[in-house]
Amino acid sequence: MAGETGIAEPVQDVDFGSPAFLEDPWSPLRALQDQDPVFWSEKQQAWIVTRYEDVMATFRDQRLSASRIVPFLSTLVPDVRAEYPLVAHFEEKWISNVDQPVHSRLRRLMANAFSRKVVDALRPASRKISEDILREVNGREVDYVHAVARELPARVITAMFGIPDHLRDQFADWAGAIQQATGAAVLTREMVDLYHQTLADMNVELLKLIAERRESPKEDLLSQFVQARDANDQLSDDELLGACHATIIAGFETTMHMLTLGMLELHERPALQARLLSGPADAAKVVDELLRYIGMAKGMLRIAREDFEWHGHTIRKGDFVYGMNISANRDPRMWQRPDEIAPDRDNNRSMAFGPGMHFCLGHLLAKMELAEFFTELFGSYDVTILSAERPWINSFTFRGLDRLPVRISRK
């Protein structure tokens, strides 16, 4: 964009870990959309991709690899594979981190566990968990993030896996420790140490549960993973562990932050609350639009497999490329009035759960949990926000709050 002198204004770099970006990522990313949609960031030492169509290409282009955790951690720990063998080993077992043809095989074996039929069967349990949590906090001043938003997915996920109640908080802590390292805006050696130890500790408990399900299957998600078959193919022990890691971490972390940020948006909009409470179909539309608007998942990292040209730039083999879902979901080239919440909008192309082959397997479960909880919360309770402070978490991957004091009282 040229000023009065006719000289183009310099493109401003982006710092994913800065307080300003954590609070408002859209303004700097919107500037990149307009000025340099495939932008080399000196601060991130990576390409930042911001327009909808380009972000879609980032996740579909086979020249860009999803196998990213070890290269990302190597920016801090040069020899990750030697120092943290479990981290390196299980990167290749997580469905979100592998490329074709491995990805299609794992997805085929895991898909039935997340079908609409399975999710609908879980709806009554999810509703009851929502009711139980709200009853427990009724009338008290609490930290919403930890007493409510963290608690709901912890209970749902552990119930789905048949994890004993006494391990519920431990698994929630483990999920948070792994996500802190893999999604950090500013990574530390302590985060990676904890990540590696967490994998070791979590695997001990998961292997016990896997052995139990082989001996005596139950009506739970872990049993479905153990029994998953495709012709003569099935998940190995390490692939079972990887499926559990990925599901527990994604199902916990994403839902926790959406429960917090979604509540804040609904709290400020009585008309949107009324639409939410109009019935299940309207609740689903409200949740879909909140997912697009809020940008709980900011973006995903990819690694260039080869050199190629893009928007006049040369992407080099090994370069980091960040596809920014959060800016794609508010790209005015794609959406009319992108900065408004419009429940009747067609959100079929939303990137809230990622595009392409890595579209989140658990999207139906997450949307069901959110709709059930928000309907119970705003239908039966009054929420008072007790602080104007918004302490954003230090994460590139997710947008969320570290704490939020509230009072929740039954109507």
Side-chain angles (χ1 to χ4, degrees):
M1 181 177 178
E4 293 182 1
T5 63
I7 300 173
E9 296 177 3
V11 181
Q12 295 297 310
D13 204 345
V14 174
D15 180 357
F16 290 157
S18 71
F21 185 84
L22 293 175
E23 180 178 357
D24 172 24
W26 292 283
S27 296
L29 295 177
R30 180 70 57 81
L32 293 187
Q33 283 180 332
D34 295 338
Q35 297 172 292
D36 197 351
V38 177
F39 170 73
W40 174 256
S41 168
E42 289 292 337
K43 291 182 178 179
Q44 304 306 142
Q45 286 296 292
W47 297 97
I48 301 177
V49 182
T50 50
R51 291 182 185 174
Y52 183 94
E53 293 298 339
D54 293 328
V55 175
M56 181 70 75
T58 299
F59 296 113
R60 289 181 169 174
D61 196 325
Q62 295 302 301
R63 295 173 300 183
L64 295 168
S65 172
S67 184
R68 60 193 182 273
I69 300 301
V70 167
F72 172 64
L73 297 182
S74 68
T75 61
L76 180 73
V77 185
D79 198 357
V80 177
R81 294 186 181 277
E83 291 193 53
Y84 300 102
L86 286 178
V87 170
H89 179 71
F90 281 101
E91 179 189 29
E92 301 169 358
K93 305 296 183 290
W94 289 13
I95 189 171
S96 58
N97 297 346
V98 294
D99 301 314
Q100 298 288 39
V102 176
H103 180 273
S104 289
R105 173 179 169 269
L106 292 179
R107 194 176 187 94
R108 191 166 57 246
L109 287 165
M110 294 171 63
N112 286 340
F114 296 96
S115 69
R116 188 174 296 277
K117 179 180 178 181
V118 170
V119 170
D120 285 343
L122 291 167
R123 188 178 295 275
S126 181
R127 184 180 303 128
K128 184 179 185 305
I129 290 171
S130 296
E131 293 168 351
D132 289 346
I133 291 172
L134 289 169
R135 191 181 308 113
E136 291 165 13
V137 301
N138 178 36
R140 299 193 290 120
E141 293 185 10
V142 297
D143 175 4
Y144 179 93
V145 174
H146 290 86
V148 179
R150 182 181 187 273
E151 193 66 18
L152 177 64
R155 294 190 192 186
V156 171
I157 290 293
T158 51
M160 283 176 59
F161 273 89
I163 294 169
D165 288 347
H166 72 275
L167 289 174
R168 183 172 65 216
D169 288 342
Q170 183 63 77
F171 269 86
D173 288 343
W174 285 336
I178 293 175
Q179 185 52 54
Q180 183 186 46
T182 58
V186 180
L187 186 65
T188 67
R189 172 71 77 130
E190 290 74 21
M191 291 178 186
V192 188
D193 288 340
L194 183 57
Y195 175 14
H196 192 260
Q197 186 59 50
T198 294
L199 284 176
D201 294 341
M202 184 187 287
N203 286 351
V204 170
E205 298 300 333
L206 285 172
L207 285 171
K208 291 178 187 176
L209 294 170
I210 288 168
E212 291 173 7
R213 296 308 185 276
R214 284 204 173 107
E215 184 70 24
S216 302
K218 297 183 178 181
E219 294 295 323
D220 59 31
L221 185 62
L222 183 54
S223 295
Q224 292 197 45
F225 282 168
V226 169
Q227 297 172 11
R229 294 287 189 280
D230 182 44
N232 294 321
D233 194 12
Q234 66 184 105
L235 297 171
S236 68
D237 278 359
D238 282 351
E239 287 169 343
L240 278 169
L241 289 171
C244 293
H245 298 159
T247 305
I248 291 168
I249 294 159
F252 168 74
E253 198 79 11
T254 55
T255 307
M256 179 179 75
H257 297 312
M258 252 323 280
L259 285 165
T260 302
L261 301 184
M263 184 277 287
L264 283 173
E265 297 296 342
L266 285 161
H267 181 265
E268 299 301 317
R269 295 173 171 80
L272 196 62
Q273 293 179 35
R275 182 67 184 273
L276 170 84
L277 299 173
S278 296
D282 285 305
K285 288 182 178 181
V286 169
V287 166
D288 275 343
E289 176 65 346
L290 284 172
L291 283 160
R292 179 202 67 84
Y293 175 84
I294 286 172
M296 163 272 303
K298 294 178 190 173
M300 296 296 288
L301 175 63
R302 293 292 185 263
I303 311 294
R305 295 172 178 267
E306 60 188 71
D307 295 357
F308 62 96
E309 298 294 318
W310 198 4
H311 279 284
H313 301 293
T314 301
I315 314 299
R316 300 292 185 189
K317 181 179 180 179
D319 281 355
F320 288 4
V321 180
Y322 287 101
M324 304 304 295
N325 304 49
I326 199 169
S327 62
N329 269 349
R330 292 216 203 166
D331 185 353
R333 296 159 191 78
M334 174 64 195
W335 312 93
Q336 293 185 349
R337 309 184 318 279
D339 298 321
E340 297 179 15
I341 298 178
D344 290 316
R345 189 191 306 275
D346 180 359
N347 275 305
N348 284 332
R349 297 190 71 189
S350 169
M351 290 192 191
F353 291 101
M357 69 178 187
H358 285 280
F359 186 78
C360 177
L361 273 173
H363 71 283
L364 293 175
L365 174 64
K367 290 193 284 188
M368 180 273 285
E369 286 183 69
L370 292 166
E372 290 295 330
F373 177 78
F374 288 145
T375 298
E376 177 63 19
L377 175 63
F378 289 101
S380 302
Y381 291 83
D382 291 317
V383 182
T384 304
I385 309 296
L386 300 176
S387 173
E389 184 185 12
R390 299 291 180 264
W392 298 100
I393 60 171
N394 167 30
S395 174
F396 156 72
T397 305
F398 293 119
R399 189 164 183 263
L401 295 178
D402 184 62
R403 60 189 178 277
L404 182 68
V406 302
R407 182 186 298 108
I408 298 175
S409 303
R410 191 163 186 88
K411 293 180 179 178

